[in-house]
């Protein structure tokens, strides 16, 4: 059930079960029973075009113990990673050309920026594939052993960046109970995404 849930974009089997039941009126496990009738829908496709100024910027929360911001600024780190057991932001939600803003943990200051150069999204990786992705990208990721263990997950988003630069520090009041990511309203863009590295 987990594989089916992830394949169709659900965060968990519970979310898939609820959606399935609301559409078909039965639990997914009952669908296998003889004589069960399921509703069928034609395939829907969408084409989305975004025009004008980019609408997303991403706030990257940098681990101070691992000296992540320092590595970014001295060009020894050119890629960030976000990984989990299932897809989570920014998976499939960060795109080439968008802005990244970096904030060092404990400073409450956004102090650097970069532009997204490339994005790689992975889903349902095997153990061997996880190791290969991390190994193949280690030169750009520059992860410690501890970070490699932390990001050893089935779903990954790798974001390579360029045009790194320090900026005049911007205040950002990060609450201690904030989740891994945060969407904030901003006058210049529709929202900010925040994720830890």
């Amino acid at each position: 059930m987990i594989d089916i849930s992830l394949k169709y974009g659900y965060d968990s089997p519970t979310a898939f079960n609820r959606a399935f039941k609301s559409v078909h009126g039965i639990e997914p496990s009952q669908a296998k029973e003889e004589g069960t009738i399921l509703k069928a829908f034609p395939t829907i496709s969408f084409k989305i075009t975004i025009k004008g100024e980019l609408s997303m910027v991403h706030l990257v929360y940098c681990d101070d113990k691992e000296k992540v911001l320092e590595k970014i600024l001295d060009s020894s780190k050119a890629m960030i990673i976000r990984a989990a057991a299932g897809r989570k932001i920014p998976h499939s939600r960060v795109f080439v050309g968008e802005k990244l803003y970096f904030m060092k943990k404990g400073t409450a200051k956004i102090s650097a920026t970069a532009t997204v150069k490339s994005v790689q999204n992975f889903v349902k990786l095997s153990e061997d594939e996880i190791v290969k992705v991390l190994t193949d990208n280690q030169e750009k990721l520059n992860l410690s052993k501890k970070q490699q263990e932390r990001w050893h997950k089935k779903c990954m988003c790798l974001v390579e960046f360029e045009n790194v630069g320090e900026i005049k520090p911007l205040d950002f009041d990060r609450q201690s109970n904030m989740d891994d990511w945060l969407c904030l309203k901003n006058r210049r863009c529709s929202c900010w995404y925040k994720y830890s590295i």
Side-chain angles (χ1 to χ4, degrees):
M1 192 59 68
I2 291 172
D3 290 340
I4 292 171
S5 301
L6 291 174
K7 179 179 179 181
Y8 292 102
Y10 292 90
D11 290 333
S12 70
T14 304
F16 175 76
N17 285 346
R18 266 183 286 182
F20 190 94
K21 188 171 183 177
S22 71
V23 171
H24 299 289
I26 61 171
E27 300 285 334
S29 59
Q30 296 172 306
K32 295 179 182 178
E33 294 175 9
E34 190 174 326
T36 302
I37 298 174
L38 300 175
K39 296 178 184 175
F41 299 94
T43 302
I44 299 173
S45 63
F46 297 93
K47 180 178 180 182
I48 299 172
T49 305
I50 299 172
K51 294 181 179 180
E53 190 173 333
L54 295 173
S55 60
M56 297 278 195
V57 294
H58 304 268
L59 179 57
V60 181
Y61 192 57
C62 300
D63 186 349
D64 59 329
K65 291 178 185 173
E66 297 286 349
K67 306 286 185 202
V68 171
L69 185 57
E70 289 83 348
K71 290 177 183 178
I72 290 168
L73 292 172
D74 73 14
S75 301
S76 64
K77 183 175 188 67
M79 181 180 281
I80 52 179
I81 183 171
R82 176 74 171 93
R87 285 186 286 190
K88 290 188 176 183
I89 289 175
H91 198 286
S92 302
R93 291 179 177 94
V94 61
F95 302 96
V96 172
E98 291 182 333
K99 278 288 194 189
L100 301 174
Y101 287 89
F102 301 101
M103 182 174 91
K104 186 174 182 175
K105 182 178 179 180
T107 65
K109 301 279 186 192
I110 299 169
S111 58
T113 185
T115 306
V116 176
K117 181 178 179 181
S118 70
V119 181
Q120 300 174 60
N121 292 297
F122 301 93
V123 182
K124 296 190 286 186
L125 294 172
S126 68
E127 285 296 312
D128 290 342
E129 290 170 327
I130 293 169
V131 171
K132 181 171 178 15
V133 169
L134 291 174
T135 302
D136 288 352
N137 292 284
Q138 175 60 10
E139 186 175 325
K140 293 176 186 174
L141 287 167
N142 194 1
L143 299 175
S144 67
K145 287 285 185 194
K146 184 177 177 183
Q147 288 174 313
Q148 288 176 26
E149 290 171 12
R150 177 182 181 189
W151 298 122
H152 191 94
K153 307 286 183 188
K154 286 175 35 173
C155 296
M156 293 183 189
C157 178
L158 302 176
V159 180
E160 185 178 4
F161 50 86
E162 61 187 355
N163 304 322
V164 175
E166 289 188 73
I167 59 172
K168 181 179 176 184
L170 303 170
D171 291 330
F172 182 82
D173 184 22
R174 183 186 190 277
Q175 305 297 316
S176 61
N177 63 346
M178 283 185 189
D179 200 359
D180 255 329
W181 61 272
L182 178 66
C183 187
L184 300 171
K185 294 289 180 187
N186 184 290
R187 287 184 300 175
R188 294 187 59 205
C189 64
S190 60
C191 69
W192 293 50
Y193 278 110
K194 182 255 169 206
Y195 49 101
S196 296
I197 57 173

